């Protein structure tokens, strides 16, 4: 009987995990079902580009997983029962809900935007953490007349990329950014200087120490009483994990992330692995890994390799996950690569300008390429397909040859 592996979510982490496991284990031994509501891979790190009208390259899963044995199920996950080892899904075609049974589950449902409970944010603000959100923002920006005010709330990586992309694509708009602290306060001196230079060049008004505590249809209000006009408010203050896990018996953090060990295996349910924003994993110096593609993809590699090794009965590889840089696009012509320590602390070194923009573009292309080529970079000995002990495939491979007389 095949070992049933179900992967929930086909973002960077889920797609990489599914593809990597499929390329590590013999197809006769396992069935791999990838559950996702959309038929195409979404490059989340490019959604700010989509929001300003740029077209992104289509990446259909049927092409990406052709010949791998990964079965794509277009459906929305509605429930997970980690004790009974079942997943309930609502098919995208509107048919009746189905229950999928699994032997191993990879939970990669990720995260979405977090309005933080700020009054009016959920009603009036726009987000760029999902394709529907980015498309909604694109339509709204396209309808704006010249000179109208746009406020991006949040000075993190997403906020910086959204504000600069909008300002570059629509120089006729009055773009502002509101951040709760100093502008780029986590960056090196060189990084902060370049960030201010680009913001000035693009005409972005920066409001520092301006935590927003209310959003209305035409303005935002800051905690210190300032009122900023805003025909469009773009909310980028953080992410909230998918809520499905909160209704399960899995051990979670206060934020709703699944607690995992160094191999991305749930500490409470050993048949469940969690990767990406949905998981709380510990990195260098005992610090939690931050929600990011830079964390999620290595987590998916680790989980896939651990699943394959445990099923094959071989030693589980454990490769420490560490950081090297934070990559920020500042429009299409400018970028910032802030080099960091293994535990994500800022170093003095930073790459800026056009070279940094090209560097970031290579990172984005590499991430998408890695989804379709999930075993790239593996030592040759670990790329090979392995068979499960006692499986039909293994038995066939070791059976003595027979000869039939003519």
């Amino acid at each position: 009987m095949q070992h049933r592996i179900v992967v929930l979510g086909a973002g960077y982490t889920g797609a990489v995990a599914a593809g990597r496991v499929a390329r590590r284990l013999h197809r006769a031994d396992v069935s791999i079902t990838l559950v996702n509501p959309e038929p195409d891979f979404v490059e989340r790190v490019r959604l700010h580009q989509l929001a300003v009208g740029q077209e992104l390259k289509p990446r259909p899963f049927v092409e990406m997983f052709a010949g791998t044995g990964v079965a794509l199920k277009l459906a929305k996950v509605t429930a997970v029962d980690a004790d009974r080892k079942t997943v309930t899904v609502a098919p995208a075609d509107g048919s009746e809900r189905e229950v999928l049974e699994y032997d191993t589950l990879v939970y990669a449902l990720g995260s979405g935007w977090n309005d933080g409970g700020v009054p009016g944010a959920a009603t009036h603000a726009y987000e760029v953490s999902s394709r529907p959100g980015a498309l909604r923002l694109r339509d709204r920006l396209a309808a704006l007349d010249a000179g109208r005010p746009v406020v991006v709330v949040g000075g993190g990586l997403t906020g910086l990329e959204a504000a600069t992309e909008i300002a570059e694509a629509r120089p006729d708009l009055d773009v502002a950014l509101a951040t709760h602290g100093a502008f780029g306060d986590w960056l090196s001196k060189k990084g902060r200087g370049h960030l201010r230079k680009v913001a000035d060049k693009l005409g972005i008004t920066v409001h520092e120490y301006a935590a927003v505590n209310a959003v209305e249809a035409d303005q935002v209000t800051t905690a210190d009483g300032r009122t900023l006009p805003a025909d469009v408010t773009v909310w980028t203050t953080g992410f909230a994990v998918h809520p499905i896990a909160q209704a399960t018996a899995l051990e979670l953090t206060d934020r709703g992330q699944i607690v995992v060990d160094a191999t991305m295996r749930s500490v409470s349910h050993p048949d469940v692995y969690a990767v990406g924003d949905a998981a709380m994993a510990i990195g260098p110096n005992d610090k939690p890994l931050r929600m990011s593609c830079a964390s999620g993809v290595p987590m998916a590699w680790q989980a896939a390799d651990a699943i394959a090794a445990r099923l094959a009965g071989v030693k589980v590889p454990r490769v420490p996950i560490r950081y090297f840089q934070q990559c920020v696009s500042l429009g299409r012509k400018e970028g910032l690569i802030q080099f960091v320590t293994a535990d994500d602390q800022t170093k003095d070194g930073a790459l800026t300008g056009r070279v940094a923009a090209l560097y970031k573009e290579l990172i984005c292309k590499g991430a998408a390429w890695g989804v379709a080529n999930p075993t790239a970079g593996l030592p040759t000995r670990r790329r090979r397909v392995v068979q499960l002990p006692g499986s039909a495939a293994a038995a066939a491979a070791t059976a003595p040859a027979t000869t039939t007389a003519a």
Side-chain angles (χ1 to χ4, degrees):
M1 182 176 178
Q2 289 181 315
H3 186 94
R4 299 163 300 182
I5 300 174
V6 175
V7 182
L8 306 182
Y12 287 98
T13 58
V16 166
R20 196 169 176 109
V21 169
R23 289 169 171 84
R24 295 293 313 284
L25 297 173
H26 199 286
R27 198 176 304 176
D29 294 338
V30 296
S31 67
I32 303 173
T33 303
L34 179 61
V35 182
N36 197 63
E38 297 184 80
D40 302 314
F41 174 67
V42 176
E43 290 187 83
R44 188 171 180 177
V45 296
R46 292 189 186 275
L47 289 179
H48 54 285
Q49 297 175 236
L50 182 63
V52 299
Q54 298 172 32
E55 293 298 328
L56 303 184
K57 180 181 178 180
R59 299 182 185 277
F61 287 121
V62 292
E63 295 180 7
M64 295 175 67
F65 290 115
T68 65
V70 174
L72 176 66
K73 187 165 195 64
L74 294 178
K76 179 181 179 181
V77 179
T78 60
V80 173
D81 190 327
D83 291 330
R84 295 185 178 181
K85 299 170 67 172
T86 62
V87 176
T88 304
V89 302
D93 62 9
S95 57
E96 293 186 3
R97 294 188 178 189
E98 301 177 31
V99 176
L100 308 178
E101 296 180 336
Y102 66 81
D103 298 304
T104 297
L105 179 71
V106 180
Y107 187 104
L109 291 178
S111 64
W113 76 301
N114 183 7
D115 63 25
V118 173
T123 303
H124 300 297
Y126 292 77
E127 52 94 2
V128 288
S129 64
S130 67
R131 178 156 59 184
L135 291 173
R136 179 171 171 261
L137 176 57
R138 182 182 69 177
D139 292 343
R140 181 69 183 105
L141 290 173
L144 286 183
D145 294 329
R148 303 312 302 170
V150 175
V151 173
V152 176
V153 180
L157 301 182
T158 305
L160 297 179
E161 294 192 329
T164 52
E165 202 74 52
I166 293 170
E168 182 185 85
R170 291 291 305 274
D172 58 320
L173 297 177
D174 182 8
V175 179
L177 184 143
T179 175
H180 73 278
F183 189 40
D185 54 6
W186 79 95
L187 297 169
S188 63
K189 181 179 179 180
K190 180 179 180 180
R192 292 194 303 272
H194 185 70
L195 189 60
R196 289 187 179 278
K197 177 182 175 182
V198 173
D200 290 343
K201 180 181 178 181
L202 294 174
I204 299 172
T205 302
V206 178
H207 299 277
E208 298 182 281
Y209 304 102
V212 172
N213 63 4
V215 181
E216 297 177 46
D218 59 354
Q219 66 180 29
V220 301
T221 304
T222 66
D224 59 3
R226 282 179 277 178
T227 298
L228 310 178
D231 280 9
V232 175
T233 300
V234 184
W235 199 267
T236 69
T237 61
F239 301 110
V241 298
H242 197 287
I244 288 289
Q246 295 178 352
T248 70
L250 293 163
E251 183 173 334
L252 309 176
T253 67
D254 292 341
R255 300 179 66 185
Q257 291 175 295
I258 298 170
V259 182
V260 298
D261 64 16
T263 66
M264 306 305 129
R265 194 182 202 180
S266 165
V267 298
S268 63
H269 291 72
D271 299 310
V272 176
Y273 292 75
V275 292
D277 293 354
M280 200 289 286
I282 300 299
N285 290 332
D286 293 327
K287 294 182 179 179
L289 298 175
R290 62 178 163 89
M291 291 184 178
S292 65
C293 185
S295 305
V297 171
M299 291 168 74
W301 293 340
Q302 178 62 74
D305 292 352
I307 291 169
R310 287 188 171 115
L311 290 180
V314 299
K315 183 178 179 181
V316 176
R318 299 189 183 187
V319 180
I321 298 174
R322 57 152 299 163
Y323 298 102
F324 296 94
Q325 70 258 319
Q326 294 181 9
C327 303
V328 192
S329 64
L330 303 174
R332 297 298 87 207
K333 300 176 182 178
E334 286 280 358
L336 171 61
I337 309 300
Q338 177 61 65
F339 297 109
V340 298
T341 60
D343 62 350
D344 212 28
Q345 299 302 302
T346 300
K347 291 183 176 181
D348 290 336
L351 190 65
T352 62
R354 181 62 176 168
V355 173
L358 293 173
Y359 189 113
K360 172 65 188 294
E361 179 62 20
L362 288 174
I363 292 292
C364 291
K365 288 182 177 179
W369 181 83
V371 172
N373 300 273
T375 56
L378 271 176
T380 302
R381 61 182 175 81
R382 285 174 54 199
R383 290 188 201 173
R384 69 179 184 273
V385 175
V386 295
Q387 297 164 338
L388 306 193
S391 69
T398 57
T402 59
T403 302
T404 301

